[in-house]
Amino acid sequence: MNSQNLLKLATQFGAPLYVYDAEKISSQFQRLTKAFSGVGSLRLNYAAKALSNISILRLMNSLGSGLDTVSIQEVKLGLMAGFKPESIIFTPNGVSLEEIEEASALGVQINIDNLSVLEQFGSKHPDVPVCIRINPHVMAGGNSKISVGHIDSKFGISIHQIPHLLRIVDLTKMNINGIHMHTGSDILDIDVFLYASEILFETAKNFKNLEFIDFGSGFKVPYKTGDIETNVEELGNKLTSRFNEFCKEYGRELTLAFEPGKFLVSEAGHFLAKVNVVKQTTSTVFASVDSGFNHLIRPMLYGSSHEIVNLSNPKGKERYYSVVGYICETDTFGNNRRINEISEGDILCFKNAGAYCFTMSSNYNSRYRPAEVLWNKGKAHLIRERETFDDILRNQVDVKDLFKKPKAATVK
Ligand SMILES: *Cc1c(COP(=O)(O)O)cnc(C)c1O
């Protein structure tokens, strides 16, 4: 979708606004499917936590995607969006046995990431097929904030605990039907990823009833020019041949599964915010928008760099700006950005705003969360209304009778 369309949507629906391009989501889904077309049975389970609006989930379902969920609430959203229970995998970490049992009772595939719950669940429900999340202790990417495969990571069952894992499976007679890993949020180095896959294959040989092997996610998409992007075609080629070879060795055709979040929705998302103030200080020019980390926290939380463009003045001369928010905190979206000259009232667009943007938003400073729009076949569909003051008050209990202001007369 082009800048003019985005600008029109900002006028029609107001700012701040999230806009998602259905066609981009669909083309990313097709691209990944094509990269692995050499696999007999492929499952892509969209990671709902990246962008969990029910209309987005419906779009994913229509594309033939499955759903990767991390909470019972995401499971319920997925079911409401029309996913069949068997198309949903529940991959939480650190949740209670009760929550896992609740998800299991709804018929979704359970993925367990620790020995304690595995032993309890297996003892109570030996007939329910369970996937296990392995930690291969491989770091993908260099940023320890988003790599979850390393030795101190809380995610998954360590490969060094396989003997204990096998003992539990043996004693409970539970049925392990899948093996899973999710090494981190960035697959930068395909060889590192393939190395981790070998550990997964090695682990898989211990289980006779597998139906699938789930390689998690970590597909990297470019956020700014010059960013490295996962070469999914190269990964597809290399992993496909290795996977097919493993299936022969294993003696049965298995399903190859992935759980992409960012890859499917990041680039489809545009966040539009209006410039409230242009402020010149002794050292910089600030452009303050009607937003902050209450709406888009990734730059402040992860240091991610979202490209920012001025939709209102695309031909204006470029100047350096610090783009900041209106929250009473340091909420810098970008420093030293060259942007077409900004005037108060202009609409700025933050790119790559599909994944982990709206879903991480909050009401900090008692601000409303933005509206969301889905752009499909040249038409805009409102998929979330902008919040109102009632939303700020919702669930708050006002104990007004507890605290009475002393009457003026009694105060001496
Ligand atoms: C978050 C998550 C994903 C999605 O990761 P992306 O980097 O967004 O593709 C996949 N699997 C699991 C288990 C996750 O927690």
Side-chain angles (χ1 to χ4, degrees):
M1 60 182 312
N2 62 35
S3 311
Q4 269 143 0
N5 288 331
L6 286 170
L7 200 53
K8 272 191 214 142
L9 295 182
T11 312
Q12 187 182 346
F13 295 96
L17 183 72
Y18 276 101
V19 179
Y20 312 113
D21 180 359
E23 195 185 316
K24 181 67 186 172
I25 293 176
S26 158
S27 69
Q28 289 293 95
F29 188 86
Q30 303 312 338
R31 188 180 156 201
L32 205 51
T33 305
K34 196 162 163 245
F36 287 89
S37 56
V39 171
S41 168
L42 177 73
R43 265 282 291 276
L44 298 179
N45 297 320
Y46 167 60
K49 75 180 189 292
L51 177 59
S52 52
N53 187 295
I54 191 162
S55 297
I56 298 292
L57 300 188
R58 282 199 189 279
L59 166 62
M60 293 296 179
N61 192 18
S62 79
L63 295 173
S65 179
L67 197 68
D68 176 63
T69 56
V70 295
S71 70
I72 189 69
Q73 290 79 9
E74 282 188 356
V75 171
K76 289 176 181 171
L77 267 177
L79 291 171
M80 274 185 83
F83 284 93
K84 294 205 180 80
E86 57 270 28
S87 302
I88 301 179
I89 181 164
F90 185 45
T91 305
N93 77 90
V95 308
S96 67
L97 177 65
E98 290 72 27
E99 188 170 333
I100 290 179
E101 286 177 320
E102 192 182 344
S104 173
L106 292 172
V108 311
Q109 170 73 48
I110 301 299
N111 186 0
I112 295 182
D113 92 324
N114 66 87
L115 293 180
S116 170
V117 168
L118 187 76
E119 186 168 337
Q120 295 174 70
F121 189 87
S123 306
K124 282 174 83 175
H125 315 280
D127 297 331
V128 176
V130 165
C131 173
I132 41 176
R133 179 171 183 174
I134 298 297
N135 187 338
H137 301 304
V138 171
M139 258 171 96
N143 187 340
S144 62
K145 276 187 190 162
I146 48 177
S147 296
V148 294
H150 57 92
I151 199 86
D152 285 335
S153 160
K154 69 168 184 168
F155 297 100
I157 299 168
S158 166
I159 42 157
H160 306 302
Q161 292 176 306
I162 297 289
H164 191 183
L165 167 65
L166 293 176
R167 176 178 296 235
I168 291 169
V169 172
D170 190 39
L171 291 174
T172 58
K173 310 239 172 332
M174 64 192 301
N175 176 15
I176 302 300
N177 71 336
I179 305 266
H180 167 273
M181 71 168 182
H182 175 62
T183 52
S185 270
D186 288 339
I187 306 174
L188 281 168
D189 190 332
I190 288 179
D191 289 332
V192 172
F193 189 83
L194 292 172
Y195 174 77
S197 307
E198 287 306 322
I199 296 173
L200 212 55
F201 291 137
E202 210 43 53
T203 308
K205 288 180 192 161
N206 291 299
F207 304 95
K208 299 287 160 261
N209 300 322
L210 292 186
E211 291 162 12
F212 65 94
I213 300 185
D214 188 331
F215 294 84
S217 182
F219 299 97
K220 192 170 167 59
V221 295
Y223 274 68
K224 53 185 189 310
T225 31
D227 270 1
I228 321 166
E229 163 177 19
T230 303
N231 186 335
V232 298
E233 287 73 23
E234 185 191 341
L235 180 67
N237 273 334
K238 291 186 170 168
L239 187 59
T240 297
S241 60
R242 183 61 191 100
F243 184 78
N244 290 341
E245 198 181 292
F246 175 79
C247 289
K248 275 209 196 98
E249 223 179 297
Y250 187 76
R252 183 156 17 123
E253 186 174 280
L254 300 172
T255 296
L256 188 161
F258 274 115
E259 309 156 345
K262 200 184 275 176
F263 183 83
L264 295 181
V265 296
S266 175
E267 293 163 286
H270 307 269
F271 180 53
L272 312 181
K274 195 176 84 195
V275 177
N276 282 335
V277 182
V278 176
K279 176 178 185 174
Q280 173 95 55
T281 68
T282 51
S283 58
T284 187
V285 186
F286 287 103
S288 303
V289 295
D290 60 353
S291 183
F293 71 46
N294 51 329
H295 299 154
L296 202 175
I297 201 172
R298 297 187 76 259
M300 304 83 182
L301 190 61
Y302 301 123
S304 21
S305 180
H306 291 254
E307 195 185 329
I308 306 169
V309 297
N310 185 356
L311 295 180
S312 306
N313 187 20
K315 298 215 165 74
K317 72 172 188 295
E318 288 189 348
R319 295 192 63 189
Y320 283 108
Y321 291 95
S322 288
V323 178
V324 296
Y326 64 179
I327 289 298
C328 296
E329 297 272 354
T330 301
D331 57 351
T332 307
F333 290 109
N335 269 323
N336 305 326
R337 297 295 187 88
R338 263 181 95 75
I339 301 172
N340 298 111
E341 185 160 28
I342 299 175
S343 307
E344 292 172 0
D346 283 357
I347 299 291
L348 302 189
C349 174
F350 297 72
K351 300 210 177 166
N352 283 73
Y356 308 105
C357 292
F358 184 90
T359 48
M360 286 192 172
S361 65
S362 74
N363 289 120
Y364 188 49
N365 278 205
S366 297
R367 294 288 186 183
Y368 307 145
R369 270 175 291 206
E372 292 179 291
V373 164
L374 180 63
W375 180 258
N376 186 49
K377 299 196 169 84
K379 277 211 185 96
H381 303 268
L382 184 67
I383 59 171
R384 185 187 301 267
E385 292 182 29
R386 187 177 307 286
E387 287 182 336
T388 64
F389 194 64
D390 286 341
D391 295 303
I392 300 295
L393 280 176
R394 177 159 301 135
N395 297 335
Q396 295 199 44
V397 179
D398 183 358
V399 292
K400 47 182 172 255
D401 296 335
L402 262 183
F403 305 110
K404 291 254 165 64
K405 209 171 166 185
K407 292 210 176 65
T410 67
V411 178
K412 294 254 155 58

